[in-house]
């Protein structure tokens, strides 16, 4: 009898929130004595100090008939339940505002310390009425431009956005509320803290949407990692959510946000050896790889006592090192925001009976890829602004099949793949977009399509995936930062395509260890066309093949 007994005085209150937090809302009547009938309903809580498998909550003034209870039960006060629920649902405005203030103060200190190196970005000064100056920056489009900062700095805004986001998420604000807070904080920073620079459109996009995706991924994965043993999960948890770690040093760490028993967690570390060949490279390369796969699947529900929590989080990180140094750095994460999820459990013991799950709904993601070195480097940083994800899972004894497809609308920062041939012919990007001249990359819009399939039979797993990117540069001169040193008279339009095809075979030695063999084909295509000068045209295509063997450890 795994039920929680509640006194009549609390029955009406529990009815209000039971649909949102109960494991299986199913009210029953239980007689505790001849004169008392109590309302009973299961309740979800994350208090790890209580064994909820045999726990009943009763009003302290009521005397139950002890013969009606199973041996070994615990009797606790409903006041304990109320406090546990409140600690997970009540928004802490003071805590959130204190944390975001500290984050902004630290950012301002770092910004002031490096201001001399950024003087080339200063385009504005307060001249006259300060109120009108800031009103115009905020309410008119004159100062809103795409900036030309280094790619590392601009992608770094996603990590700043993650801190903005977590400053609220850590204090019981949901995904959408925390995303809005990240947008407002980014706006304050762009308009007021960096008042000498353009109000960067790209920073607003990357900080808000990139920050929300990274912030939520780090937020959920950090708590998942804290449930694992060892210094590696603990270290990653501290990196992913530093605020929780710092507060823990002062014994003010918040309660666990989620019910781990209602989620399927994955945390895998792997290492191996990779061999690659590129059409543009004279020699093949061998590399040592080190990577991580992590996910939290809570589509079954009953995971979080707040609404608006993404129910599937995936993150992959990988670094590759050759004799020349670090060759590759890749990070990809995505969130399934929620939607239609249908579970069909098998009620039959027959071997041909399948359990099934289907889902469809909105999703978001972020990806950063840098492959190769120097002139041959191919890099892009992508914010998957909004997309649609759908998939299915089929299970029966010894067999599982998973299929998922995603399509996203993208905002991308891309190094044009045809740039090497262009530079060889024209020597510089003079007169084109200032971001090409300064940073060697450009801003683009486009889409990403992904398809993944995995099939497992006993200890053998086969997988295949396709990822396809298509981007077209943003060419509106009115929203590009253009100084007198670069009149932007000979602008360039570029189009980019990346296709990645991968197959892999994995043997699972145990629940902890697996050996996996992978093959990947990468096809790249870039094209330059002159906007003001139609005589400019460059195109470059390439194929790359990668084969690697990796050993995996699953925590």
């Amino acid at each position: 009898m795994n039920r929680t007994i509640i006194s009549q005085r609390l029955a009406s209150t529990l009815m209000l929130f039971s649909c949102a937090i109960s494991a299986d809302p199913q009210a029953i009547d239980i007689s505790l004595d001849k004169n008392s009938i109590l309302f009973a309903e299961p309740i979800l809580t994350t208090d790890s100090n209580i064994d909820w498998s045999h726990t009943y909550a009763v009003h302290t003034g009521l005397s139950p008939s002890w013969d009606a209870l199973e041996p070994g039960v615990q009797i606790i006060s409903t006041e304990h339940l109320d406090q546990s629920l409140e600690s997970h649902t009540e928004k802490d405005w003071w805590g959130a505002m204190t944390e975001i203030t500290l984050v902004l103060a630290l950012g301002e200190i770092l910004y002031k310390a490096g201001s001399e190196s950024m003087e080339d970005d200063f385009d504005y000064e307060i001249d006259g009425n300060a109120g009108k100056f800031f009103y115009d920056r905020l309410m008119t489009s004159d100062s809103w431009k795409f900036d030309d900062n280094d790619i590392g700095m601009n992608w770094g805004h996603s990590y700043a956005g993650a801190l903005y986001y977590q400053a609220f998420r850590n204090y019981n604000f949901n995904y959408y509320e925390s995303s809005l807070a990240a947008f407002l904080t980014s706006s304050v920073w762009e308009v007021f803290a960096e008042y000498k620079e353009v109000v960067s459109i790209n920073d607003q996009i990357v900080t808000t949407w990139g920050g929300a995706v990274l912030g939520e991924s780090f937020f959920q994965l950090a708590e998942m990692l804290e449930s694992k043993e060892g210094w590696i999960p603990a270290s990653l948890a501290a990196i992913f959510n530093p605020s929780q770690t710092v507060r823990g040093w002062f014994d003010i760490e918040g309660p666990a946000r989620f019910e781990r028993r209602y989620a399927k967690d994955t945390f895998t570390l792997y290492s191996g050896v990779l061999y690659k060949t590129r059409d543009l490279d004279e020699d093949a390369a061998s590399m040592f790889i080190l990577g991580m796969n992590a996910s939290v699947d809570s589509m079954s529900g009953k995971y979080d006592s707040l609404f608006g929590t993404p129910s599937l989080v995936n993150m992959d990180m990988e670094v590759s090192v050759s004799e020349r140094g670090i060759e590759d750095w890749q990070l990809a994460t995505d969130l399934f925001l929620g939607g239609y999820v249908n579970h069909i459990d098998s009620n039959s013991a027959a071997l041909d009976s399948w359990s099934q799950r289907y889902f469809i709904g909105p999703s978001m993601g972020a990806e950063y890829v840098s492959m190769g070195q120097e002139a041959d480097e191919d890099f892009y940083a992508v914010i998957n602004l909004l997309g649609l994800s759908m998939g299915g899972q089929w299970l029966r004894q010894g067999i599982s099949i998973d299929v998922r497809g995603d399509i996203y609308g993208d905002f991308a920062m891309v190094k044009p793949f045809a740039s090497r041939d262009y530079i060889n012919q024209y020597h510089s990007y003079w007169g084109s977009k200032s971001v090409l001249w300064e940073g060697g990359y450009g801003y683009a819009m486009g889409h990403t399509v992904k398809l993944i399939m995995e099939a497992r039979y006993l200890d053998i797993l086969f997988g295949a995936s396709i990822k396809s990117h298509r981007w077209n540069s943003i060419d509106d001169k009115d929203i590009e930062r253009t100084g007198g040193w670069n009149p932007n008279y000979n602008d360039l339009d570029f189009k980019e395509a990346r296709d990645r095809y991968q197959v892999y075979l994995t043997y699972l030695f145990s629940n902890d260890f697996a050996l996996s063999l992978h093959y990947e084909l990468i096809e790249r295509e870039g094209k330059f066309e002159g906007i003001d000068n139609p005589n400019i045209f460059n195109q470059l295509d390439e194929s790359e093949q990668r084969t690697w063997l990796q050993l995996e450890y699953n925590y």
Side-chain angles (χ1 to χ4, degrees):
M1 181 171 61
N2 185 14
R3 300 291 182 186
T4 304
I5 303 176
I6 309 300
S7 70
Q8 290 176 328
R9 193 182 73 172
L10 295 176
S12 59
T13 302
L14 289 171
M15 286 288 285
L16 295 177
F17 64 78
S18 63
C19 292
I21 66 171
S22 63
D24 182 14
Q26 181 181 358
I28 58 174
D29 290 334
I30 298 179
S31 296
L32 293 187
D33 57 35
K34 295 181 179 179
N35 301 316
S36 301
I37 302 295
L38 298 188
F39 180 84
E41 189 166 358
I43 290 180
L44 184 65
T45 181
T46 56
D47 195 323
S48 60
N49 297 319
I50 300 173
D51 176 13
W52 292 102
S53 61
H54 291 87
T55 299
Y56 302 84
V58 300
H59 186 259
T60 54
L62 200 63
S63 298
S65 173
W66 304 110
D67 294 337
L69 301 180
E70 292 181 353
V73 301
Q74 302 179 55
I75 305 300
I76 65 170
S77 169
T78 53
E79 181 181 356
H80 188 110
L81 292 176
D82 293 339
Q83 293 174 350
S84 177
L85 177 65
E86 182 178 348
S87 68
H88 290 85
T89 57
E90 185 178 14
K91 296 177 176 60
D92 184 354
W93 283 94
W94 285 109
M97 296 309 296
T98 299
E99 185 166 320
I100 197 64
T101 300
L102 291 174
V103 171
L104 288 173
L106 178 60
E108 181 66 14
I109 292 172
L110 295 175
Y111 182 73
K112 291 293 186 183
S115 60
E116 291 185 5
S117 64
M118 293 182 287
E119 288 182 355
D120 290 340
D121 297 325
F122 294 166
D123 295 330
Y124 305 97
E125 288 288 350
I126 300 177
D127 186 12
N129 189 319
K132 185 178 185 305
F133 174 84
F134 286 108
Y135 176 85
D136 290 342
R137 279 179 63 80
L138 183 64
M139 304 303 296
T140 69
S141 61
D142 293 343
S143 302
W144 289 72
K145 308 285 184 183
F146 283 100
D147 71 27
D148 50 17
N149 294 144
D150 178 80
I151 182 68
M153 180 179 293
N154 276 342
W155 175 248
H157 279 79
S158 61
Y159 293 94
L163 294 178
Y164 299 165
Y165 175 92
Q166 289 181 352
F168 289 83
R169 195 72 168 99
N170 284 329
Y171 296 94
N172 294 337
F173 291 81
N174 67 31
Y175 173 79
Y176 301 99
E177 294 163 341
S178 302
S179 298
L180 177 60
F183 170 74
L184 295 175
T185 305
S186 176
S187 299
V188 169
W189 179 267
E190 290 291 327
V191 173
F192 296 100
E194 295 184 339
Y195 69 90
K196 293 184 178 182
E197 303 181 38
V198 299
V199 181
S200 176
I201 298 171
N202 50 281
D203 286 352
Q204 285 285 76
I205 295 172
V206 174
T207 305
T208 302
W209 281 274
V213 172
L214 283 182
E216 180 67 19
S217 298
F218 289 160
F219 180 74
Q220 290 202 35
L221 293 178
E223 187 159 303
M224 179 267 285
L225 290 168
E226 287 178 350
S227 68
K228 309 291 184 182
E229 296 182 357
W231 66 270
I232 294 178
S235 299
L236 286 173
I239 294 171
F240 287 171
N241 195 339
S243 170
Q244 288 278 43
T245 301
V246 172
R247 286 188 291 156
W249 295 344
F250 298 95
D251 295 326
I252 54 175
E253 186 176 2
R257 167 75 267 160
F258 302 114
E259 272 278 7
R260 298 251 60 84
R261 57 182 172 154
Y262 292 126
K264 179 182 179 182
D265 298 334
T266 301
F267 175 54
T268 301
L269 295 179
Y270 63 87
S271 63
V273 179
L274 180 148
Y275 178 81
K276 73 170 183 176
T277 59
R278 291 185 63 173
D279 291 348
L280 298 181
D281 276 347
E282 295 181 359
D283 301 319
S286 297
M287 300 186 293
F288 171 78
I289 60 173
L290 180 65
M292 178 201 83
N293 304 125
S295 68
V296 176
D297 181 348
S298 59
M299 287 191 189
S300 61
K302 302 172 288 188
Y303 177 57
D304 188 7
S305 49
L306 288 177
F307 75 94
T309 293
S311 55
L312 180 61
V313 176
N314 295 299
M315 177 174 286
D316 302 315
M317 290 194 294
E318 183 178 288
V319 62
S320 303
V321 182
S322 72
E323 59 183 8
R324 297 182 294 183
I326 296 178
E327 291 265 351
D328 300 342
W329 165 249
Q330 303 183 71
L331 180 148
T333 185
D334 61 73
L335 308 174
F336 179 69
L337 301 181
Y340 173 78
V341 180
N342 185 28
H343 297 265
I344 304 174
D345 293 326
S346 171
N347 295 319
S348 171
L351 293 178
D352 59 350
S353 180
W354 293 84
S355 295
Q356 304 167 51
R357 181 179 75 175
Y358 307 95
F359 66 90
I360 182 171
S363 57
M364 297 178 65
E367 184 174 5
Y368 182 89
V369 173
S370 173
M371 307 178 78
Q373 289 187 325
E374 299 176 355
D376 293 332
E377 182 187 19
D378 177 31
F379 72 71
Y380 48 88
V382 185
I383 306 298
N384 306 126
L385 297 174
L386 187 62
L388 180 68
S389 295
M390 64 185 70
Q393 183 182 65
W394 297 265
L395 301 170
R396 78 177 197 186
Q397 293 186 8
I399 301 174
S400 67
I401 301 173
D402 288 270
V403 177
R404 174 174 172 172
D406 311 271
I407 181 169
Y408 300 102
D410 294 344
F411 172 77
M413 297 178 285
V414 188
K415 178 184 178 182
F417 191 65
S419 60
R420 184 169 77 166
D421 283 4
Y422 179 88
I423 292 297
N424 289 338
Q425 182 175 352
Y426 297 99
H427 307 294
S428 76
Y429 293 114
W430 172 251
S432 67
K433 303 172 181 66
S434 62
V435 68
L436 275 174
W437 173 263
E438 291 284 351
Y441 69 97
Y443 300 107
M445 301 295 292
H447 65 269
T448 293
V449 178
K450 297 191 295 184
L451 181 63
I452 302 171
M453 186 278 289
E454 285 190 343
R456 177 178 174 179
Y457 175 68
L458 298 179
D459 296 327
I460 302 294
L461 183 146
F462 172 79
S465 67
I466 300 172
K467 182 184 292 184
S468 179
H469 303 290
R470 296 292 184 274
W471 302 304
N472 192 357
S473 62
I474 299 172
D475 301 320
D476 186 351
K477 293 182 179 181
D478 291 337
I479 56 174
E480 297 170 9
R481 180 176 183 259
T482 304
W485 53 268
N486 187 343
N488 197 18
Y489 60 79
N490 197 22
D491 206 359
L492 298 169
D493 172 67
F494 63 84
K495 295 178 173 62
E496 298 293 311
R498 304 289 189 280
D499 295 310
R500 304 182 67 167
Y501 309 92
Q502 185 179 160
V503 293
Y504 51 93
L505 185 66
T506 302
Y507 178 72
L508 294 92
F509 294 102
S510 65
N511 291 332
D512 299 329
F513 289 97
L515 189 65
S516 187
L517 178 64
H518 295 246
Y519 171 79
E520 184 178 30
L521 173 65
I522 304 174
E523 294 184 344
R524 305 179 175 98
E525 179 180 335
K527 182 191 300 182
F528 267 129
E529 296 178 288
I531 297 175
D532 306 287
N533 184 351
N535 294 324
I536 295 178
F537 180 85
N538 264 83
Q539 184 169 346
L540 185 63
D541 304 335
E542 181 205 44
S543 293
E544 176 179 342
Q545 298 186 65
R546 297 175 158 228
T547 304
W548 69 96
L549 186 68
Q550 66 185 40
L551 180 65
E552 304 170 359
Y553 177 71
N554 182 46
Y555 275 81

